[in-house]
Amino acid sequence: MEYRKLQGTDLTVSAVGFGVWTVGTTWWGVKDEQLGKRLLRQAFERGVTLFDNADTYASGRAEELQREALHDVRDQIVVATKFGYDIVNHPERPGQQERPHDWSPQYMRRALEASLRRLGTDRIDYYQLHNPRLDAIEQGSALADDLFAELEQAKAEGLIRAYGTALGPALNERQIEEGVASLRRGAPTQIIYNLLEQVLGEPVLAEAERLQVGVLARVPHASGLLEGYMTADTTFEPGDHRNWRLTTNERRKAWMEDGLKKVEQLQPFLEGRSIGQLALQFALHSPLMASLIPNIYDEQGLISYTSLDDARPLSDDEYGQIQALYAQNFGLNTSLIGEVVR
């Protein structure tokens, strides 16, 4: 496992992290909590140190699950979680709909105390605003300035070590502005980024390099397209998040079909590596990319992604060839970026 500094903080994280949402909720088909805890433990044993959670995942149950799986190795891992959605006054909504945000310093404190309790720890290593809009980030915004001042105070008290933003929930060009605003505060940002969906990558990573503030990325496998299992006939059981995304309407079906055509053109790059490993290598190309958070929901994926150092390295020439394909939209005349909600 490779380990990288999350620039702008004192944290060092595994280049491949674990997004606890896949096992802490049922959105990715993992309904057995014991399986979820085994995967979390196996990830740690295979070198993963970054575990990315959120208080809104199963209304806090995902944080408890992480504590149950990893409490005895707490000081060997980087505990990352998120806040901002008002899970106290608003029950969870079906279909992964957003709840209202509360960015007041008072609510942040309340959310922080609750996450500390559920995670069984005295500090959060990396505390993230969960899907904020620009008014909760930008310097000069009274809402944002008050919130970030309180985050600094919590940091001074030792309750958090570092803070940043996690942008979303769906891929949207407005997140360029949000990501840049976060970096300009010295706060790392987590974005949706993969070799098929790069709308945020170039501008956000360029600003990260200029300021030397780090970036994290989730969905590096484009919601399954770059995992190697998906075909035009792929289906998922009811309640699985992937099933909801891919069958909601015809445009999402077209997104999958076009994506598979693009994936076919990546076959020449697969000597010595799986397509899932290629996707991770691509997204880690920038040194400012501290860690990737793939969707891990079974042992096969876990082993593949945490064996990245065993794969043939991605050369600069190969990276350039892939970028050339992307620049011409892989020869397709469609643009379905952002069709899938995450």
Side-chain angles (χ1 to χ4, degrees), residues 123-303:
R123 80 275 182 198
I124 304 297
D125 298 310
Y126 185 53
Y127 203 38
Q128 302 160 90
L129 283 70
H130 198 175
N131 298 338
R133 307 306 188 256
L134 189 61
D135 65 345
I137 309 170
E138 191 171 36
Q139 290 178 324
S141 161
L143 176 68
D145 289 347
D146 289 348
L147 174 60
F148 277 82
E150 195 68 20
L151 286 167
E152 275 295 322
Q153 180 59 38
K155 184 178 177 182
E157 295 169 17
L159 298 177
I160 58 177
R161 290 177 61 190
Y163 55 80
T165 61
L167 306 181
L171 182 59
N172 191 302
E173 288 188 357
R174 71 154 200 278
Q175 290 156 23
I176 296 173
E177 245 188 316
E178 295 163 359
V180 168
S182 181
L183 296 170
R184 288 178 179 173
R185 278 194 178 271
T189 191
Q190 181 186 140
I191 61 174
I192 294 170
Y193 176 66
N194 58 71
L195 66 80
L196 298 181
E197 298 168 306
Q198 298 186 44
V199 64
L200 306 182
E202 182 177 351
V204 172
L205 286 168
E207 190 71 1
E209 185 171 0
R210 186 180 76 84
L211 298 170
Q212 291 298 293
V213 179
V215 175
L216 304 101
R218 67 184 185 279
V219 202
H221 293 109
S223 305
L225 284 170
L226 296 171
E227 290 185 45
Y229 68 84
M230 195 176 288
T231 71
D233 298 322
T234 297
T235 59
F236 303 99
E237 63 182 80
D240 189 300
H241 185 64
R242 293 159 291 182
N243 186 60
W244 176 80
R245 291 190 215 171
L246 297 174
T247 60
T248 301
N249 58 41
E250 290 302 316
R251 283 184 64 79
R252 289 197 175 97
K253 291 180 182 178
W255 172 88
M256 182 173 72
E257 292 168 0
D258 283 3
L260 291 172
K261 293 175 185 176
K262 296 174 182 179
V263 168
E264 184 61 31
Q265 296 181 55
L266 297 171
Q267 298 307 305
F269 299 95
L270 299 188
E271 182 181 350
R273 60 173 78 94
S274 70
I275 191 165
Q277 291 171 331
L278 172 67
L280 296 179
Q281 290 175 332
F282 178 90
L284 284 168
H285 188 264
S286 169
L288 270 299
M289 184 63 73
S291 185
L292 305 178
I293 305 168
N295 292 324
I296 296 172
Y297 45 88
D298 59 29
E299 188 173 354
Q300 180 181 355
L302 173 61
I303 292 172

Side-chain angles (χ1 to χ4, degrees), residues 53-56 59-60 63 79-89 100-121 123-124 126-130 147 150-151 154 159-160:
N53 216 318
D55 61 3
T56 193
S59 298
E63 292 179 324
V79 173
T81 196
K82 310 182 194 75
F83 74 97
Y85 287 117
D86 183 353
I87 67 172
V88 175
N89 299 303
H101 281 118
D102 186 338
W103 298 117
S104 67
Q106 297 80 8
Y107 187 81
M108 185 280 287
R109 285 286 183 167
R110 182 174 184 176
L112 176 58
E113 291 171 5
S115 285
L116 288 168
R117 183 177 64 253
R118 288 188 294 262
L119 287 160
T121 184
R123 80 275 182 198
I124 304 297
Y126 185 53
Y127 203 38
Q128 302 160 90
L129 283 70
H130 198 175
L147 174 60
E150 195 68 20
L151 286 167
L159 298 177
I160 58 177

